[in-house]
């Protein structure tokens, strides 16, 4: 029990509002935060020790007597107390870390602030906000560095992080950080997709659940306000989760496909492609979801509450019109009876050529057509029922034979007026009833099994119906040919190369793309239907229905432009324009993403600097859905491929190589791996999607992340999934942290949680290696300058480890260039685990134990320390792209004190250089600076050698260090930085000395003089006096510099 008289630990200070933080001086805020955090940490440590000691004493007293057992009991009590003390100490450290004001640097300068072991939550606290605040992820559009540009595959705004996202972002962040550290002007642009169907469905369900309303009750504008409200409230979840993964994206450029600039790009693309004849209107078969009442493209599994018979061939007879007999057909859809085709070479049906059949329900005449392409003589009866308005293959038959296109379904999947007595009946109910009808007519001939593939809607799980509808289409053939050529001529590289065959096969057989969607949420199509004033409604037709006159459509970027186009098309006529109610397929806007995010169609600075992009990284499962469309639209609209390389990662599977599936219980939420979750918590995630709305509010399950709001697992599958979870995660999932998960995803696509846990423990190995270094590198240790290092004189162990380090650097560059993440992570693991920790650190321990004071021993120790420094410093750099959090923590905690001390000196050079540049008005010109450091200031010489390039970057100069005993070139200004440092800036050839002398003399004459000012006034205006004297001195110095420069120039 804790001592009640002990001082209480200070609670971490509450985070200040953003507007208050901005007004506070950053340096003061950082110092204040560090002080508060230090106090909190010390107080927490004290309480932890006191509580542990009190608890140990209490338990030992309770254990009492027992002879030899006393020691065992005491040891157990002591171990428990130690564990509790460590836990409470970590809690104190975590509280101190979380006390860091958002966006300021976490204080790791004190060695005692480093916990005994690695704790992910403690390590990951505060770093991301600091990176973001410092602008480390932002590029410079004007930089002369080589660019590396990548755009994120925009996740749905409705989404939450899943393991596929985790893999995608781990890979992209690794590559981006590596390129950034390699000197590239790097940009990784984030964004989210508006997800038309998914978002509208969610909001419609919410509206029905909360208000009992449909979108039609509200109307389009009011409903869209509801959607925007939902997006504002929930749309940021995925971006917060990306931050948890350490994704180093430039958040200042966050794009949303419904943003005004991206929406303008979508509109422009549609209009241009329509003008080019690529976008066109046609009455063709579409994939129709009767449940969502829209065209769709993705297909997955059905969900019916009552069994529906699929995969069965039903045979029935048509009677010949002339009464000469019957023709039996076999079909999986007996409810559609519109035409019959036979093979012209089939002898069974030679007598049927040119004959007519009678529809059994309405008596309509049905032709028998001859078609070699459609009919397989050996399948079924050899006679095929043809439904041109309900099947893609039959559609082509209808075109070839000029058949009627009769649709029997309405948008709800109910039988329309063409169904006669069955009008209003559900399509699958009719399937049962039509068989009964045929039996009653004596036309039913039996059934046989027929395995088949069924198209289903990925959102509603309803069976897709091919239905004839007038829609907007994209002609893909020519764009697809150009996309194939881009791969063949090397403009676009697909990695792995194996996917090139898939690319060619799909694009060379591509069909035109239906881009109309019958939704309200999305980019409304900028097309308008012309209705002439006073026209009869039947004559005008109904847009979107079979009666529409497709030639009536006009397109424009706005209604004014569309009106002008209609006036040209129909001169002298008065009319009204009605905009298409439909929106564009979400993939249309996503296809523009690599260039719309940079401002296209405007010729922006960003578009010029960052397009085409360098790399597109994604899963191979959306090669066709998204990647191909981006390439086609990029080439068509910008004349360039949108990226130079496509890297396709494999699908993430479980430890057994199985696909992730909720019914198997192997679906892994990355946040569960990062934070940990109990087995019961995992079981509870299986409830997602089946729990009643009224129960959601009652549920309070630790470790869940909105899982109650999603999922589609059948109730009967839950027990099976629970069993799978018990086998794979008997104790739940241990807290692993972001770094361990990222490293595992880089190494294994078959994700074994045990391996992730192992990497979490491996992080502790890194932790201990740095702790060892901190013990063996004394305060004030100066890292060796590369040009001063003589490896040949080092001990053999040091030579060996430096060679292994060089080998690791070369291997990492090679593997990352090839996107070989598995070998890269294996190499890193091997270097740290085996070369550095198992061998070199063990070999250096005897060296560190040598007696001090002997020249040979001291030299061996110094060389060994230098080798250790180089290896750890390089090793952390190599590891950082994969494990950004732990490497940042170790880097800052290990090298922080010395580096920050060095920076204090380097920053005086930066300040002095900027001051000289400002005094001469050198704003844009890059200057040459020569820094001379006194011979006896060896520490400052070492700092300058290491920081020269960084100093130059910060003050737009090239900085050189003047060698001891040498002088700066003539034509330089001279400024004293401190007692041992002189700054020389080359002005010869940069400024005209005569002009500058004239300007400076005028400036000096204009400065106020306080020589005759009364003493009391001078005292009151002391600040002005000091400023005036400083300005006068600076002016004199500058004039003297210009006079020297003038003299040097005239020689």
């Amino acid at each position: 029990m804790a001592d009640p008289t002990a001082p209480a630990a200070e609670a971490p200070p509450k985070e200040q509002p953003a507007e208050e933080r901005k007004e506070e001086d950053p340096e003061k805020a950082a110092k204040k935060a560090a002080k508060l955090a230090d106090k909190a940490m010390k107080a927490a440590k004290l309480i932890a020790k006191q509580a542990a000691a009190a608890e140990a004493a209490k338990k030992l007293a309770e254990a009492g007597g027992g002879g030899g057992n006393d020691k065992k009991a005491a040891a157990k009590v002591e171990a428990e107390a130690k564990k509790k003390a460590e836990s409470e100490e970590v809690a104190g450290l975590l509280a101190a870390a979380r006390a860091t004001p958002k966006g300021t640097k976490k204080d790791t300068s004190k060695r005692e602030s480093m916990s005994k072991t690695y704790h992910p939550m403690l390590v990951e606290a505060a770093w991301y906000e600091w990176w973001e605040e410092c602008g480390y992820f932002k590029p410079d559009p004007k930089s002369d560095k080589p660019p590396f540009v990548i755009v994120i595959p925009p996740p749905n705004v409705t989404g939450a992080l899943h393991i596929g996202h985790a893999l995608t972002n781990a890979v992209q962040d690794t590559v981006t950080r590596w390129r950034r550290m390699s000197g590239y002007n790097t940009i990784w642009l984030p964004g989210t997709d508006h997800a038309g169907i998914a978002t509208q469905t969610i909001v419609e369900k919410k509206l029905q659940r909360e208000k009992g309303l449909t979108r039609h009750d509200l109307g389009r504008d009011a409903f869209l306000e509801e959607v925007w409200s939902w997006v504002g409230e929930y749309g940021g979840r995925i971006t917060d989760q990306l931050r948890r993964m350490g994704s180093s994206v430039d958040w200042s450029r966050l794009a949303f496909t419904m943003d005004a600039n991206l929406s303008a790009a979508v509109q422009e693309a549609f209009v241009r492609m329509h003008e080019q004849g690529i976008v066109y209107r046609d009455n063709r078969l579409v994939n129709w979801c009767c449940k969502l009442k829209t065209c769709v493209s993705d297909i997955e599994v059905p969900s019916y509450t009552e069994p529906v018979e699929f995969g069965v061939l039903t045979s029935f007879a048509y009677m010949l019109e002339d009464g000469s007999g019957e023709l039996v057909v076999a079909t999986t859809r007996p409810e559609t009876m519109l035409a019959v085709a036979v093979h012209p070479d089939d002898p069974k049906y030679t007598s049927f050529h040119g004959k007519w059949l009678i529809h059994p329900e309405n008596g309509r005449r049905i032709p028998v057509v001859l078609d070699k392409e459609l009919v397989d003589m050996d399948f079924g009866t050899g006679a095929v029922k043809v439904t041109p308005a309900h099947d893609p293959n039959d559609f082509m038959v209808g075109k070839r034979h000029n058949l009627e296109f009769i649709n029997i379904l309405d948008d709800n999947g109910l039988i329309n007026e063409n169904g006669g007595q069955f009008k209003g009946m559900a399509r699958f109910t009719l399937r049962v009833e039509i068989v009964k009808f045929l039996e009653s007519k004596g036309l039913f001939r039996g059934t046989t099994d027929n395995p088949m593939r069924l198209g289903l809607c990925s959102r509603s799980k309803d069976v897709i119906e091919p239905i004839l509808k007038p829609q907007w289409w994209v002609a893909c053939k020519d764009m697809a040919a150009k996309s194939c050529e881009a791969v063949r001529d090397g403009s676009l590289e697909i990695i792995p190369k194996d996917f090139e065959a898939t690319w060619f096969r799909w694009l060379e057989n591509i069909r035109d793309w239906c881009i109309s969607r019958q939704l309200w949420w999305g980019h409304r199509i900028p097309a308008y239907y012309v209705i002439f004033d006073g026209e009869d409604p039947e004559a005008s037709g109904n847009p979107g229905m079979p009666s529409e006159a497709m030639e009536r459509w006009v397109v424009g970027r706005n209604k004014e432009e569309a009106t002008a186009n209609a006036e040209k098309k129909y001169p002298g006529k008065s009319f009204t324009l009605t905009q298409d109610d439909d929106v564009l397929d979400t993939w249309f806007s996503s296809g523009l993403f690599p260039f719309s995010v940079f401002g296209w169609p405007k010729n922006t600075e960003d578009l010029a600097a960052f397009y085409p992009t360098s790399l597109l990284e994604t899963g191979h499962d959306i090669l066709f859905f998204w990647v191909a469309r981006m390439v086609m639209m990029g080439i068509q609209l910008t004349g360039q491929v949108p990226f130079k390389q496509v890297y396709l990662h494999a699908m993430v599977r479980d430890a057994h190589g199985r696909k992730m599936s909720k019914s198997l219980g192997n679906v892994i939420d990355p946040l569960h791996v990062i934070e940990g979750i109990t087995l019961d918590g995992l079981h509870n995630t299986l409830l997602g999607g089946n729990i009643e709305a009224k129960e959601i509010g009652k549920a309070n399950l630790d470790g869940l992340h909105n899982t109650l709001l999603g999922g589609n697992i059948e109730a009967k599958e839950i027990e099976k999934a629970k069993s799978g979870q018990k086998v794979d995660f008997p104790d739940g999932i241990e807290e692993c942290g972001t770094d361990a998960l990222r490293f595992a995803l880089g190494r294994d696509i078959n994700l074994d949680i045990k391996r992730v846990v192992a990497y979490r423990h491996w992080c502790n190995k890194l932790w201990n290696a740095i702790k060892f270094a901190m013990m063996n590198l004394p305060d004030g240790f100066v890292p060796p300058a590369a040009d001063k290092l003589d490896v040949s004189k080092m001990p053999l162990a040091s030579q060996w480890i430096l060679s292994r380090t060089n080998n690791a650097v070369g291997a990492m560059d090679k593997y990352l260039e090839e996107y070989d993440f598995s070998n890269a992570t294996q190499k890193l693991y091997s270097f740290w685990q085996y070369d550095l920790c198992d061998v070199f650190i063990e070999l250096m321990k005897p060296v560190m134990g040598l007696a001090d004071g002997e020249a040979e021993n001291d030299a061996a120790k110094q060389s060994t320390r230098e080798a250790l420094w180089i290896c750890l410093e390089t090793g952390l750099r190599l590891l950082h792209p994969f494990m950004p959090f732990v490497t940042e923590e170790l880097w800052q905690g290990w090298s922080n004190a010395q580096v920050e001390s060095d920076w204090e000196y380097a920053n005086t050079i930066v300040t002095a250089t900027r001051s000289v540049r400002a005094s001469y008005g050198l704003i844009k010109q890059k200057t040459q600076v020569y820094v001379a450091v006194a011979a006896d200031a060896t520490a400052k010489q070492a700092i300058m050698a290491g920081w020269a390039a960084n100093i130059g970057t910060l003050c737009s100069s090239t900085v050189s260090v003047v060698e001891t005993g040498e002088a700066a070139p003539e034509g330089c200004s001279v400024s004293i930085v401190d007692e041992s440092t002189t700054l020389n800036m080359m002005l010869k050839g940069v400024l005209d000395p005569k002009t500058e002398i004239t300007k400076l003399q005028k400036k000096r004459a204009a400065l106020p003089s306080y020589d005759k000012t009364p003493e009391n006034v001078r005292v009151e205006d002391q600040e002005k006096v000091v400023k005036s004297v400083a300005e006068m001195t600076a002016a004199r110095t500058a004039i003297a510099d210009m006079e020297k420069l003038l003299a040097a120039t005239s020689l």
Side-chain angles (χ1 to χ4, degrees), residues 484-791:
C484 288
E485 184 57 29
V487 172
R488 290 191 174 103
D489 68 19
S491 303
L492 175 65
E493 181 184 8
I494 297 177
I495 305 168
K497 196 176 179 64
D498 297 349
F499 283 100
E500 284 187 5
T502 310
W503 178 264
F504 295 136
R505 184 169 59 251
W506 189 77
L507 287 176
E508 288 169 354
N509 294 281
I510 196 170
R511 293 181 178 181
D512 286 357
W513 169 22
C514 176
I515 54 175
S516 295
R517 295 293 179 268
Q518 288 64 44
L519 304 169
W520 287 355
W521 172 244
H523 299 101
R524 192 170 180 180
I525 296 174
Y528 301 79
Y529 193 77
V530 178
I531 300 175
F532 299 117
D533 292 351
E535 185 178 26
D536 184 273
E538 288 189 12
S540 66
N542 189 0
M545 301 302 290
S547 63
E548 81 164 39
M550 287 184 289
E551 71 278 1
R552 295 274 190 107
W553 288 99
V554 293
V555 170
R557 294 167 180 81
N558 49 51
K559 194 168 185 178
E560 290 73 26
E561 185 175 302
T563 301
N565 290 336
E567 288 171 346
K568 291 178 185 177
K569 192 172 186 178
Y570 301 107
K573 292 192 176 184
S574 58
F575 53 79
T576 301
L577 295 184
T578 300
Q579 187 173 357
D580 195 337
D581 281 330
D582 295 349
V583 300
L584 289 164
D585 181 9
T586 300
W587 293 111
F588 190 90
S589 56
S590 298
L592 309 175
F593 198 75
F595 46 97
S596 64
V597 293
F598 295 120
W600 185 91
K602 297 177 182 177
N603 293 318
T604 63
E605 183 181 57
D606 277 0
L607 190 66
F610 301 128
Y611 184 81
T613 66
S614 309
L615 172 70
L616 188 282
E617 193 283 332
T618 189
H620 64 74
D621 55 321
I622 59 172
L623 180 63
F624 315 129
F625 290 115
W626 187 44
V627 180
R629 288 182 171 125
M630 283 189 288
V631 174
M632 289 193 296
M633 297 177 83
I635 293 174
Q636 184 64 36
L637 294 169
T638 72
Q640 303 178 83
V641 291
F643 24 76
K644 299 177 182 69
Q645 292 180 313
V646 176
Y647 173 70
L648 302 168
H649 65 246
M651 301 297 291
V652 184
R653 298 180 180 273
D654 71 5
H656 312 292
R658 301 174 302 177
K659 188 176 179 180
M660 298 288 184
S661 166
K662 271 203 169 185
S663 63
L664 293 175
N666 63 353
V667 170
I668 300 171
D669 182 336
L671 294 183
H672 293 161
V673 182
I674 292 170
E675 299 174 356
I677 188 171
T678 63
L679 180 60
D680 286 341
L682 286 171
H683 288 343
N684 288 326
T685 63
L686 300 172
L687 299 176
N690 292 295
I691 191 168
E692 293 290 332
K694 63 184 178 181
E695 296 296 320
I696 290 178
K698 297 178 184 177
N700 182 19
L701 306 170
D702 291 339
L704 299 186
H705 303 278
N706 301 314
T707 52
L708 297 175
L709 302 178
N712 52 35
I713 188 171
E714 295 280 347
K716 63 184 178 182
E717 296 289 330
I718 289 180
E719 290 308 314
K720 175 185 172 184
K722 282 185 176 180
S723 298
Q725 289 180 335
K726 287 178 183 177
V727 171
D728 287 341
F729 317 113
D731 300 314
I733 298 175
E734 183 179 335
E735 177 196 6
C736 296
T738 300
D739 289 317
L741 175 61
R742 286 173 55 125
F743 200 75
L745 288 170
R747 192 165 185 180
D748 296 298
I749 299 302
N750 287 0
L751 187 61
D752 185 348
I753 293 299
K754 292 177 182 176
R755 185 178 285 275
V756 184
V757 172
Y759 289 141
R760 179 246 187 272
H761 294 304
W762 185 64
C763 287
N764 200 59
K765 189 87 170 178
L766 309 179
W767 197 260
N768 288 333
I770 297 300
K771 285 179 68 178
F772 175 82
M774 292 172 71
M775 289 188 294
N776 286 280
L777 297 175
D779 291 335
F781 174 79
V782 178
D787 59 343
K788 305 289 186 183
L789 201 64
D790 189 348
V791 178

Side-chain angles (χ1 to χ4, degrees), residues 446-459:
T447 60
T448 56
D449 291 340
N450 176 52
M452 61 182 292
R453 296 180 66 183
L454 198 62
L456 310 144
C457 176
S458 64
R459 298 295 177 187

Side-chain angles (χ1 to χ4, degrees), residues 24-64:
E24 189 174 6
D25 179 77
E27 188 174 350
K28 289 182 179 179
K31 288 180 179 179
K32 181 179 178 183
K35 187 176 180 181
L36 289 171
D38 193 38
K39 289 176 69 176
M41 179 189 67
K42 288 179 178 178
K45 278 187 175 183
L46 177 61
I47 288 178
K49 288 180 180 179
Q50 290 173 336
E55 189 71 16
K58 179 182 177 182
K59 287 189 176 181
L60 191 58
E62 290 173 352

Side-chain angles (χ1 to χ4, degrees), residues 53 77 89 99 138 303 491 496 546 626 767 966 1013 1047:
V77 168
E89 182 178 333
K138 294 181 180 181
S303 62
S491 303
W626 187 44
W767 197 260
E966 295 185 5
T1013 304

